[in-house]
Amino acid sequence: MTQNAILFIPDISGFTEFVHNTDIYHSRHIISELLELLIDSISMDLKLAEIEGDALFLYKLEDEVNLNEVNMQIEQMYLAFHSHLKRYEYQRICNCGACSSAYNLTLKFIVHYGEIEFIKIKDSKKPYGSNVIKVHRLLKNEVPLEEYAMFTEPLMPSSYKTSPNTLTGIYDFGSINYSYEPLAHLKNQLPEIKPIPDDIPKHKLFDSTEIIQIPILELYEVISNFDYRLLWVKGVDKLEYEKNKVNRSGLKHQCLINKKRVEQTTVKKEVEPNQLVYGESTQEIPYTKRVHVYYVLEELEKGFTKLNIEVFVDFKPFGIIMKPFMKKNFQKIISENIKELILLIDSGFTTEQTNN
């Protein structure tokens, strides 16, 4: 039995083929976040048929197409996508190829209309038929833009048929006419995203420096990626965090320390152009309003990295009398953690072992 349906594919592109393992790992998480965001932005009752790499295959059974509704759906997804990337650029802490180029990602839409059938595979059913093949073939086309919405002939207004934005594609199934609309102008509607301020506590409790034989990006990944935290931070029994997100400024996580939950927030601060920084803030240490711990990394020669750990504190009233005790306690804890970190790296551990 055939039914009429809108076939709708939002497709993300812009990531190049990365060589470094961290880039691949982070690009996977960034794309995953964006695909989830597009799904959450569905407003016209589109059904998800498949997640296909960097794209979604959506459909809606419909005998009459409301093109205004389709255009509104495209606009809504496009603005959500680019608002997220704009926010991510302010919040990102990682300088790997994936994170630093995420703002270059683009979004296009392929929209087709025609008859489909369904094929049942165990407990699920999937759209099936020649029109499903057509909409996927149309991902490869002659549109001279990176971001656009493409509509095939069944969805084209009659005025489009003589438009310069109307093309004919030749495929293995034959020829098909389609028109396209640019989307870049919609960026003028993006909301203002304010950067998270680098607000550092007043008192510097202490700092410590280590030289570690590991490339800077790999050390940064070990320190900032929660997946590795329990491998080198002592005293933490459990870590709760959003596993499908790359760590970024403002992201919260919880540590279970001696059966007590401690909430921490990822922060950053200004550093020199040749340095990377990762920081965490908490308001749950006695006698303090907040504590920031920063890891500042600087690349040296021959695969060595200088790691400087800095602790800053804002004290509660009279809490400053605890400063000597807190300094001694932090020195002990961080010293033990850095020893564990060096042992982990000297054991031959690499991020590739757990990213794949």
Side-chain angles (χ1 to χ4, degrees):
M1 177 181 173
T2 60
Q3 295 174 272
N4 291 324
I6 300 170
L7 304 177
F8 188 100
I9 299 180
D11 179 54
I12 301 169
S13 59
F15 272 146
T16 55
E17 186 177 340
F18 293 116
V19 175
H20 194 280
N21 188 262
T22 299
D23 299 318
I24 298 169
Y25 179 67
H26 286 191
S27 67
R28 218 163 43 219
H29 281 290
I30 292 168
I31 292 295
S32 174
E33 277 187 61
L34 289 166
L35 291 175
E36 286 185 12
L37 179 75
L38 293 176
I39 291 170
D40 290 342
S41 301
I42 292 172
S43 60
M44 56 174 284
D45 198 29
L46 291 163
K47 306 298 182 187
L48 177 64
E50 205 78 60
I51 296 174
E52 302 171 337
D54 297 349
L56 300 174
F57 176 34
L58 305 162
Y59 71 95
K60 182 182 182 183
L61 298 177
E62 193 84 283
D63 286 329
E64 291 187 12
V65 180
N66 183 334
L67 205 52
N68 286 333
E69 185 182 45
V70 174
N71 283 318
M72 286 176 63
Q73 177 67 86
I74 289 169
E75 182 175 322
Q76 187 173 347
M77 283 185 169
Y78 184 85
L79 291 175
F81 177 87
H82 280 289
S83 294
H84 182 86
L85 291 181
K86 191 174 178 181
R87 188 176 294 108
Y88 183 76
E89 182 60 19
Y90 282 133
Q91 294 177 348
R92 71 177 177 86
I93 57 171
C94 179
N95 273 15
C96 78
C99 292
S100 60
S101 66
Y103 69 93
N104 285 324
L105 291 175
T106 59
L107 184 63
K108 66 185 179 187
F109 297 87
I110 309 297
V111 190
H112 180 52
Y113 182 73
E115 291 184 340
I116 63 169
E117 300 176 68
F118 286 93
I119 183 170
K120 191 168 184 181
I121 305 170
K122 292 201 171 187
D123 295 329
S124 64
K125 63 177 186 176
K126 306 287 185 184
Y128 181 77
S130 62
N131 284 305
V132 173
I133 295 170
K134 286 179 182 179
V135 73
H136 284 87
R137 293 283 197 277
L138 286 162
L139 287 165
K140 302 293 184 184
N141 55 64
E142 299 298 322
V143 175
L145 300 173
E146 290 184 330
E147 296 194 299
Y148 56 87
M150 175 202 285
F151 302 92
T152 57
E153 192 163 14
L155 297 170
M156 288 164 49
S158 57
S159 59
Y160 278 34
K161 296 187 178 178
T162 56
S163 165
N165 288 0
T166 297
L167 302 172
T168 299
I170 307 298
Y171 296 91
D172 54 1
F173 57 79
S175 64
I176 187 169
N177 295 329
Y178 57 81
S179 65
Y180 64 90
E181 286 294 315
L183 298 175
H185 66 281
L186 294 175
K187 288 182 180 178
N188 296 328
Q189 300 179 35
L190 290 175
E192 181 182 0
I193 309 285
K194 294 184 179 180
I196 297 174
D198 297 339
D199 188 12
I200 302 172
K202 181 179 177 181
H203 300 275
K204 187 173 186 179
L205 201 61
F206 86 102
D207 66 84
S208 175
T209 300
E210 293 283 347
I211 306 297
I212 303 177
Q213 189 174 4
I214 185 173
I216 186 170
L217 284 178
E218 195 160 340
L219 180 58
Y220 191 89
E221 176 70 0
V222 175
I223 291 171
S224 64
N225 190 330
F226 297 140
D227 289 346
Y228 311 131
R229 187 60 55 88
L230 299 183
L231 299 178
W232 63 277
V233 175
K234 300 188 74 174
V236 178
D237 303 314
K238 189 178 180 182
L239 202 66
E240 295 179 357
Y241 56 97
E242 295 186 68
K243 294 183 181 292
N244 66 332
K245 287 189 176 182
V246 178
N247 196 358
R248 69 196 61 173
S249 186
L251 197 68
K252 298 184 184 297
H253 65 277
Q254 290 188 336
C255 298
L256 189 63
I257 304 174
N258 298 324
K259 298 183 179 180
K260 180 184 176 183
R261 291 186 182 276
V262 177
E263 185 174 86
Q264 295 180 305
T265 303
T266 299
V267 293
K268 59 182 181 179
K269 71 183 182 82
E270 290 293 325
V271 292
E272 296 299 321
N274 63 330
Q275 296 177 327
L276 301 177
V277 61
Y278 173 72
E280 291 182 351
S281 171
T282 184
Q283 300 177 354
E284 300 187 31
I285 294 179
Y287 308 106
T288 70
K289 294 178 181 176
R290 59 187 180 138
V291 175
H292 285 198
V293 179
Y294 294 102
Y295 299 84
V296 182
L297 289 72
E298 184 175 333
E299 189 169 26
L300 303 176
E301 293 182 353
K302 299 179 181 178
F304 285 84
T305 300
K306 182 169 77 171
L307 172 63
N308 186 244
I309 304 98
E310 306 170 343
V311 180
F312 293 85
V313 181
D314 278 339
F315 290 99
K316 291 180 178 178
F318 305 108
I320 195 144
I321 63 175
M322 299 299 293
K323 184 176 180 180
F325 170 77
M326 289 186 64
K327 179 177 179 179
K328 184 177 179 181
N329 198 35
F330 265 104
Q331 282 177 319
K332 179 176 181 294
I333 292 169
I334 289 177
S335 176
E336 290 176 350
N337 289 341
I338 296 306
K339 284 180 183 177
E340 292 295 320
L341 179 61
I342 292 171
L343 284 172
L344 177 66
I345 291 165
D346 287 347
S347 72
F349 169 86
T350 65
T351 56
E352 188 171 350
Q353 292 171 327
T354 49
N355 281 347
N356 287 330

